[in-house]
Amino acid sequence: MLPLEGIKVLDLSRLIPGPFCTMLLSDMGADVLKIEEIDSQSLFSLAKKAEGERQKAACYDALNRNKKSIMLNLKAEEAQNVFYRLAKEVDIIVEEFRPGVTKRLGVDYETIKQINPGIIYCAITCYGQDGPYAKFPGHDPNCCSIAGALAYTTDQDGEPVPFGIPLADVSSALHAVIGILLALRAREKTERGQFIDISMTDSALSFMVLASTRYFTDGRMPAKIKVMPMVLKTKEGKFITVANAEPHFWERFCRAIGREDFIPLRHAKGEKLREMASTIEQIFLDKTRDEWVQILREADTCVAPVLDINEVFNDPQVLHRQMCVELEHPTIGKVKQQGVSIKLSDTPGRIGNFAPLPGEHTEAIISNLGYTKDEIERLKKIGAIK
């Protein structure tokens, strides 16, 4: 048994936030149906790939695993009618169009709740459904900029450094899942669905809570100049991270690097702190990354190697936690994907199916809605489905 078995989802999303959200739901048993555009412009659509590349791409497409796919042209009235039939039978709709687009397509929340009052409708947008920026286009870096997260991460000279991961995309996906689960719980009590308005900017800003708390308390701005190194370069040009904030960890760290004289300087500031930081940086150039990791772990301090992606999926902790899983595909053979990150003891998630090819389930699902073969052929002919 999976915790979301029996929950049905229509996924209208295209980029990272929506598909990541519905992937998490599908890993836990939700029945997710992707509604794909016939002429998709999405960078991530398998439909954009050459015919021979689609099958292989689908095998490695973790964002869309466990899902089914149909292709609808929602600009056509006949395709909208198909969508209404689908919407009548589902629990959740997820979309990430700019505000106003779903209304033009006739698949907005106000329309759908007339068909299905219990629908939980989650819209993920850059800035949210209202406010002066609501209609502006944007992507992850724009959201991180408005949220203050980009200015918070700087180089040695205090210049903003873009994140290596899409913080706003992923955080909004997580907020969407939380919102959906809360709405499902509320529906058990009220028997009503509701609209969930997820802003990527709000989601990124929620990760700034420590900085904002400090700012609200005394007006202090986050430090933008690197003075105490947490990422240290080692002898062979690799890196480690150290994070010894507590007094006992700091003391062990200082003893392990042979600088017990630094123990009382944990709260040093200004020039004294810069001198200590520079000395520590030089010390770490004397040994390799793995040597330092062993020394500092044996000293029971907070340390980790900075791993490249090819190292991540060979790391013993990652492998033990089944965050790299190997699946058997009937024609391609063994395929690796990231595992399920939420570990439940009684009802764990699972990867049941590879990502579908675009429109792979169109005919079967349309048939289940009661359309005849002749009607399906007509819908194809007029470009409503594919």
Coordinates of all heavy atoms in Angstrom, one line a residue, residues 197-236:
D197 N -2.3 28.8 -4.1 CA -1.6 29.8 -4.8 C -0.1 29.8 -4.3 O 0.2 30.2 -3.2 CB -2.2 31.2 -4.5 CG -1.4 32.4 -5.1 OD1 -0.4 32.1 -5.8 OD2 -1.7 33.5 -4.8
I198 N 0.8 29.2 -5.1 CA 2.2 29.0 -4.7 C 3.0 30.0 -5.6 O 3.0 29.9 -6.8 CB 2.7 27.6 -5.0 CG1 1.9 26.6 -4.1 CG2 4.2 27.5 -4.7 CD1 2.1 26.7 -2.6
S199 N 3.7 30.9 -4.9 CA 4.7 31.8 -5.5 C 6.1 31.3 -5.3 O 6.5 30.9 -4.2 CB 4.5 33.2 -4.9 OG 5.7 33.9 -5.1
M200 N 6.8 31.1 -6.5 CA 8.2 30.7 -6.4 C 9.0 31.7 -5.5 O 10.0 31.3 -4.8 CB 8.8 30.6 -7.8 CG 8.2 29.5 -8.6 SD 8.5 29.6 -10.4 CE 10.3 29.6 -10.4
T201 N 8.7 33.0 -5.6 CA 9.4 34.0 -4.9 C 9.1 33.8 -3.4 O 10.0 33.9 -2.6 CB 9.0 35.4 -5.3 OG1 9.3 35.5 -6.7 CG2 9.8 36.5 -4.6
D202 N 7.8 33.6 -3.0 CA 7.5 33.4 -1.6 C 8.2 32.2 -1.1 O 8.7 32.2 0.1 CB 6.0 33.2 -1.5 CG 5.1 34.4 -1.8 OD1 5.7 35.5 -2.0 OD2 3.9 34.2 -1.9
S203 N 8.3 31.1 -1.9 CA 8.9 29.9 -1.5 C 10.4 30.1 -1.2 O 10.9 29.6 -0.2 CB 8.7 28.8 -2.5 OG 7.3 28.6 -2.7
A204 N 11.1 30.8 -2.1 CA 12.5 31.1 -1.9 C 12.7 32.0 -0.7 O 13.7 31.8 0.1 CB 13.1 31.7 -3.2
L205 N 11.8 32.9 -0.5 CA 11.9 33.8 0.6 C 11.8 33.1 1.9 O 12.4 33.5 3.0 CB 10.9 34.9 0.5 CG 10.8 36.0 1.6 CD1 12.2 36.7 1.7 CD2 9.8 37.1 1.3
S206 N 11.0 32.0 2.0 CA 10.8 31.3 3.2 C 12.1 30.7 3.7 O 12.3 30.4 4.9 CB 9.7 30.2 3.0 OG 10.2 29.1 2.2
F207 N 13.0 30.4 2.8 CA 14.3 29.9 3.1 C 15.2 30.9 3.7 O 16.3 30.6 4.2 CB 15.0 29.2 1.9 CG 14.4 27.9 1.5 CD1 13.1 27.6 1.7 CD2 15.3 26.9 1.1 CE1 12.6 26.3 1.3 CE2 14.8 25.6 0.8 CZ 13.5 25.3 0.9
M208 N 14.8 32.2 3.7 CA 15.6 33.3 4.2 C 15.2 33.6 5.6 O 15.5 34.7 6.1 CB 15.4 34.5 3.3 CG 15.9 34.4 1.9 SD 17.7 34.5 1.9 CE 17.9 36.3 2.3
V209 N 14.5 32.7 6.3 CA 13.9 33.1 7.6 C 15.0 33.4 8.7 O 14.7 34.3 9.5 CB 13.0 31.9 8.1 CG1 13.8 30.6 8.4 CG2 12.2 32.3 9.3
L210 N 16.1 32.8 8.6 CA 17.1 33.2 9.6 C 17.7 34.6 9.4 O 17.8 35.4 10.3 CB 18.3 32.2 9.6 CG 18.0 30.8 10.1 CD1 19.2 29.9 10.0 CD2 17.4 30.8 11.5
A211 N 17.9 34.9 8.1 CA 18.4 36.3 7.8 C 17.3 37.3 8.1 O 17.6 38.4 8.6 CB 18.8 36.3 6.3
S212 N 16.1 37.0 7.8 CA 15.0 38.0 8.0 C 14.8 38.2 9.5 O 14.5 39.3 10.0 CB 13.7 37.6 7.3 OG 13.2 36.4 7.9
T213 N 14.9 37.1 10.3 CA 14.7 37.2 11.8 C 15.7 38.2 12.3 O 15.4 39.1 13.2 CB 14.8 35.9 12.4 OG1 13.7 35.0 11.9 CG2 14.7 36.0 13.9
R214 N 17.0 38.0 11.9 CA 18.1 38.9 12.4 C 17.8 40.3 12.0 O 18.0 41.3 12.8 CB 19.4 38.4 11.8 CG 20.6 39.0 12.4 CD 21.9 38.5 11.8 NE 22.0 37.0 12.1 CZ 22.1 36.1 11.1 NH1 22.1 36.5 9.8 NH2 22.2 34.9 11.4
Y215 N 17.4 40.5 10.7 CA 17.2 41.8 10.2 C 16.0 42.5 10.9 O 16.1 43.7 11.3 CB 16.9 41.8 8.7 CG 16.5 43.1 8.1 CD1 17.4 44.1 8.0 CD2 15.2 43.3 7.7 CE1 17.0 45.4 7.5 CE2 14.8 44.6 7.2 CZ 15.7 45.6 7.1 OH 15.4 46.8 6.6
F216 N 14.9 41.8 11.2 CA 13.8 42.4 11.9 C 14.1 42.7 13.3 O 13.6 43.6 13.9 CB 12.6 41.4 11.9 CG 12.0 41.2 10.5 CD1 11.4 39.9 10.2 CD2 12.0 42.1 9.5 CE1 10.8 39.7 8.9 CE2 11.5 41.9 8.3 CZ 10.9 40.7 8.0
T217 N 15.0 41.9 13.9 CA 15.4 42.1 15.3 C 16.2 43.4 15.5 O 15.8 44.2 16.4 CB 16.1 40.9 15.9 OG1 15.3 39.8 15.7 CG2 16.5 41.1 17.3
D218 N 17.2 43.6 14.8 CA 18.1 44.7 15.0 C 18.6 45.5 13.7 O 19.5 46.3 13.8 CB 19.3 44.3 15.8 CG 20.1 43.2 15.2 OD1 20.0 43.0 14.0 OD2 20.8 42.5 15.9
G219 N 18.0 45.1 12.6 CA 18.3 45.8 11.4 C 19.6 45.4 10.7 O 20.1 46.1 9.8
R220 N 20.2 44.3 11.3 CA 21.5 43.9 10.7 C 21.4 43.3 9.4 O 20.5 42.5 9.1 CB 22.2 42.9 11.7 CG 23.0 43.5 12.8 CD 23.8 42.5 13.5 NE 23.0 41.5 14.1 CZ 23.4 40.3 14.5 NH1 24.6 39.9 14.3 NH2 22.6 39.4 15.1
M221 N 22.3 43.7 8.4 CA 22.3 43.1 7.1 C 23.2 41.9 7.2 O 24.2 41.8 7.9 CB 22.9 44.1 6.1 CG 22.1 45.3 5.9 SD 20.6 45.0 5.0 CE 21.2 44.8 3.3
P222 N 22.9 40.8 6.4 CA 23.7 39.6 6.3 C 25.1 40.0 5.9 O 25.3 40.8 5.0 CB 23.0 38.7 5.3 CG 21.6 39.2 5.3 CD 21.7 40.7 5.5
A223 N 26.1 39.4 6.5 CA 27.5 39.7 6.0 C 27.7 39.2 4.6 O 27.3 38.1 4.2 CB 28.5 38.9 6.9
K224 N 28.3 40.1 3.8 CA 28.5 39.7 2.4 C 30.0 39.5 2.0 O 30.3 39.2 0.9 CB 28.0 40.9 1.5 CG 26.5 41.0 1.6 CD 26.0 42.0 0.5 CE 24.5 42.1 0.5 NZ 24.0 43.0 -0.5
I225 N 30.9 39.6 3.0 CA 32.3 39.4 2.7 C 32.7 38.2 3.4 O 32.5 38.0 4.6 CB 33.1 40.6 3.1 CG1 32.7 41.9 2.4 CG2 34.6 40.4 2.9 CD1 33.4 43.1 2.8
K226 N 33.4 37.3 2.7 CA 33.8 36.0 3.3 C 35.0 36.3 4.2 O 36.0 36.7 3.8 CB 34.2 35.1 2.1 CG 34.8 33.8 2.6 CD 35.3 33.0 1.4 CE 36.1 31.8 1.8 NZ 36.8 31.2 0.6
V227 N 34.8 36.0 5.5 CA 35.9 36.2 6.5 C 36.3 34.9 7.1 O 37.5 34.8 7.5 CB 35.6 37.3 7.5 CG1 35.5 38.7 6.9 CG2 34.2 37.0 8.2
M228 N 35.4 34.0 7.4 CA 35.8 32.8 8.0 C 35.4 31.6 7.0 O 34.3 31.4 6.7 CB 35.0 32.6 9.3 CG 35.3 31.3 10.0 SD 37.1 31.2 10.5 CE 37.4 29.5 10.5
P229 N 36.5 31.0 6.5 CA 36.2 30.0 5.4 C 35.4 28.8 5.9 O 35.8 28.2 6.9 CB 37.6 29.6 5.0 CG 38.5 29.9 6.1 CD 37.9 31.1 6.8
M230 N 34.4 28.5 5.2 CA 33.6 27.2 5.5 C 33.9 26.2 4.4 O 33.7 25.0 4.5 CB 32.1 27.5 5.6 CG 31.8 28.3 6.8 SD 30.0 28.6 7.0 CE 29.5 26.9 7.5
V231 N 34.3 26.7 3.2 CA 34.7 25.9 2.1 C 36.2 26.1 1.9 O 36.7 27.2 1.7 CB 34.0 26.2 0.8 CG1 34.4 25.3 -0.3 CG2 32.5 26.1 1.0
L232 N 37.0 25.0 2.1 CA 38.5 25.1 2.1 C 39.1 24.3 0.9 O 38.7 23.1 0.7 CB 39.0 24.6 3.4 CG 38.6 25.5 4.6 CD1 38.7 24.7 5.9 CD2 39.5 26.7 4.7
K233 N 40.0 24.9 0.2 CA 40.7 24.2 -0.8 C 41.8 23.3 -0.2 O 42.5 23.7 0.7 CB 41.3 25.2 -1.8 CG 41.8 24.7 -3.1 CD 42.2 25.8 -4.0 CE 42.6 25.3 -5.4 NZ 43.0 26.4 -6.3
T234 N 42.0 22.1 -0.8 CA 43.0 21.2 -0.3 C 44.2 21.1 -1.3 O 44.2 21.7 -2.4 CB 42.4 19.9 0.0 OG1 41.7 19.3 -1.2 CG2 41.3 20.0 1.1
K235 N 45.1 20.2 -1.0 CA 46.4 20.1 -1.7 C 46.2 19.9 -3.2 O 46.9 20.5 -4.0 CB 47.2 19.0 -1.1 CG 48.6 18.8 -1.6 CD 49.4 17.7 -0.9 CE 50.8 17.6 -1.4 NZ 51.5 16.6 -0.6
E236 N 45.3 19.0 -3.6 CA 45.2 18.6 -5.0 C 44.2 19.4 -5.7 O 43.8 19.1 -6.9 CB 44.9 17.1 -5.1 CG 43.4 16.7 -4.9 CD 43.0 16.7 -3.4 OE1 43.4 17.6 -2.6 OE2 42.2 15.8 -3.1

